[in-house]
Structure formats: C-alpha cells, structure tokens
Amino acid sequence: MTAKARTHASVAPGEIAIGVVIGRLSEMFDFFVFGIASVLVFPSVFFPFVDAKTGTFYSFAIFSLAFIARPFGSALFRLIHSRYGRGSKLTIALFVLGTSTAGIAFLPGYAVLGEWAIVVLALMRMAQGVGIAGSWDGLPSLLALNAPRNRRGWYAMLPQLGGPIGFFIAAGLFAFLVSSLTPADFLDWGWRYPFCVAFAINVVALFARLRLVVTPEFTALLQTRELEPSPTGELLRTQRAGIVLGAFAPLASFALFHVVTVFPLSWVTLLTQEKVSVVECLTVQMFGALLCIVGMLLSGQIADRIGRRATLALGAGLIALFSLVGLLPMFLHGSLIGALLFVLGGFVLLGFSHAQAAGAINSTFPSRYRYSGAIITSDLAWLVGAAFAPLVALFIASRFGVGYVGLYLLSGAVGTLMALGINRNLEMRED
C-alpha cells in the first residue's frame, strides 16, 4: 500500500464530519445569539433614544456588519495562514470570534457609555465577521472530497446540520431566560449569559477542530487534495464566472436563512396585532429547527439520487412556489396562523435547500482553486443573500405589509434558478 493510500485510509469521513459539524455549530450559535438579541435586547439597551421599530432597524444594520467584514477577514487570515500555518490561523480566528462575542456580554449599554456603546457594539460585530472568515479550515471541502463517491450529497449535507442545532440551542436559551426573569432583569443582565455560553462553545470547537487540522494525517490529506490557498490574482482571473455563479446559486436558501429565524421575532414584537409571546414564537421556531434537520436529511438522500445541482434547483423552485402561492396569500394580512405556517414551512424548505448550498459552492472549482475559491464565493454569497435579509424583510413588512416578504424570497429563488440556468454545464465536480 502506498503512502498516499495509507493516508487516505487513516482518515475516515466520519472523523471529518464531526469536526465540521462542531465548528459550524459554534459559528451559527454565535450568529443566532446576536440575531435574537438584535430584536429582544439591543433596541432597548443600545438604542433607547428612538422607538422600538427604529431601534430594531439600527440593530439589524449592525447585524449586517459581520457579513460586510468577512471578505476583509478572509484576506487578513490568508496572510496569517501563509506565514504561520493553518493551526495558528484557526486558533487566532476563534480567539477573535470568541473574545468579541464574550466582549458583547460585558459591554455597558447606552445609559452608561452613550454613543460609544453603539460604536463598540459595531466593532465587536465586525470582529465576529472577521473571526468567522478566518475560521475557514478547509474541512468542509475535505469532507466532500473524501466522502464515498455515491454518498457525496449526504456528506455535503452534514456540515449544515450545525445551523439548525445552533439555532435550537440559542432560541432555547433565550426562551428560558425570558420566561424565568422579569423584563427588567433580562434587559439588565440576563441577556448576557448566551454570549458567555457562546465563548465556552467556541473553546470546545477550537480543540475539536485543532485535533484534526494539526495532525500529520490531516495535513498530508489536505496537501494531497490541494486544499491550500491559491494565488488570488490567478483565481480571480481564471475563475470569475465560477465565483459569481457560485455566489448566486445558493441565494434562495441564504435569503430564507435569516427570514425564518430572526425576522419572525421582529414581526411578533413590532408588527402583529394578535397576542403572541416571545417565548411562544421561540418555541415554534425551535420546533421548526427540528423540521429543518429533517429537511436536510431528506435533501442528502435525494442529492445522492438526482445530483446536488438538481437538488439545489429543486429547493429554489419550492421556495419560489412557497413564496408566491403559499406565503403571499395566507400571510398577506399578518395572521398568526399564517405566521406559524410560514415559520414551519420555511424551516423545512430551508433545510432542504441549504443542505446542498455549501456543497455547491465547494464543488464549483477545480481542485487547485477549491480552497480559496470556496472562501471568496462563500463570503460573497452570505453578503448578497443573508447580510441584509432581516433588515429588508422588516422594511417590507412595515411599509407594505408582512405578506410581501414573500416577494423578497421569490427574488432570491429567481436568482438561484437564473444562476443555475445561465451555465447549464455547471456540474458538481468530483475531483
């Protein structure tokens, strides 16, 4: 048996999957904690000088800063990777992510620091984006490449499980705190605990991922699979079409991502006329997160039968149908039943479509460009598809009516279908 064969045999896809899921869970938990706090906490704590709706708009604007900062973080940590190696890069990135998240937990509000509290909050949020960008370790691409050939759709789905799991934990923690504390205690100190928990989860994730990426077996496998940074100029010159199409291909699922998680809370607290508590909304969303996992598992099975590209297109088509035929009529008048159906149905479609989003991005590029191409494309996809989704959805709902949020989701689905249709030869590479 050759050295290369021994290296491949010594690294099971299941080992990679565990590290990837843990890493994605920690990242998503951080982001959902901030997203939920953007609705329940920040308008009162950091923007008490405006009404609740305007304060939520400001909070969602700060929420978007992490996605804007991601490309800059990717460029910075590319240099760190080249000079100090993958393990050092991952350690520094998760330190930045963890300390910025924990720093928010100890940040005084507007009543103490005035406008500086808002400035520091914005800087912390940007640091979160930089840390997320730097935490890219190549394991999702490695998992897709090292998976059995007839199970690559299934293994491409596994990393995405961290999203609904992270949201379930974050929503459950906030639901417990809101139901257990008085409103004054929650806004004074209770909301800070989830950010401290996020720091602890990041520490666990750091050691779980370092255990993989710094071992000789994984280092050799990453090099064998050419999962190392490629020259940026050459990448942009030769892979422009792949970057653009790869960024727009998962647009439908990325737009839906925060519309079913963060936006419904703002609708419940600001726009609905029917009586529904925050805890009830979070409970429904937690159930939706479980349905999201079911949708992801189903997507993994179907992708292995019809292909990841076809599955992504099917998911976009279902989102378009849901937005135009289902969501718009029943949610047009802002009814509670419509909202619940929107959340639950949206989570199912999110799971089905988002499960193959990362696999589509990773598989667009030849092996030489896969590592760097996936980073750039992912940063662009999240920026275009998710950064402003809660802000845009709240604006549409408050200005035109909540039912018209369906048209926003429809535009994302159309974007995905157009990206897949422009290049009909775009197939998920197997090399």
Side-chain angles (χ1 to χ4, degrees), residues 384-425:
V384 174
F388 305 101
L391 185 64
V392 172
L394 180 59
F395 173 80
I396 293 174
S398 60
R399 187 70 179 270
F400 304 104
V402 71
Y404 289 96
V405 174
L407 297 180
Y408 171 67
L409 293 179
L410 178 63
S411 67
V414 171
T416 292
L417 293 172
M418 288 181 62
L420 294 175
I422 288 174
N423 189 346
R424 296 181 182 276
N425 295 321

Side-chain angles (χ1 to χ4, degrees), residues 253 256 295 315 318-320 322-323 344-354:
S253 65
L256 185 60
L318 291 174
I319 291 174
F322 174 71
S323 302
L344 297 178
F347 266 110
V348 173
L349 291 178
L350 173 63
F352 185 84
S353 60
H354 191 64

Side-chain angles (χ1 to χ4, degrees), residues 151-230:
R151 298 286 287 165
R152 286 184 172 174
W154 176 263
Y155 279 94
M157 170 274 301
L158 290 178
Q160 308 300 72
L161 291 174
I165 295 173
F167 178 79
F168 184 91
I169 298 173
L173 188 54
F174 270 102
F176 172 77
L177 292 170
V178 170
S179 62
S180 302
L181 302 174
T182 64
D185 285 342
F186 174 73
L187 291 176
D188 182 28
W189 53 268
W191 67 271
R192 302 177 185 274
Y193 279 97
F195 288 89
C196 295
V197 173
F199 178 81
I201 292 178
N202 276 314
V203 172
V204 174
L206 172 62
F207 285 102
R209 294 162 77 177
L210 282 179
R211 187 184 67 83
L212 297 178
V213 301
V214 302
T215 59
E217 293 82 6
F218 274 86
T219 300
L221 185 55
L222 287 164
Q223 292 173 348
T224 301
R225 290 294 197 175
E226 300 183 83
L227 291 176
E228 298 288 343
S230 54

Side-chain angles (χ1 to χ4, degrees), residues 12-23 139 143 155 158-159 212:
E15 295 181 72
I16 309 174
I18 292 173
V20 173
V21 172
I22 292 175
L139 289 180
L143 176 61
Y155 279 94
L158 290 178
L212 297 178

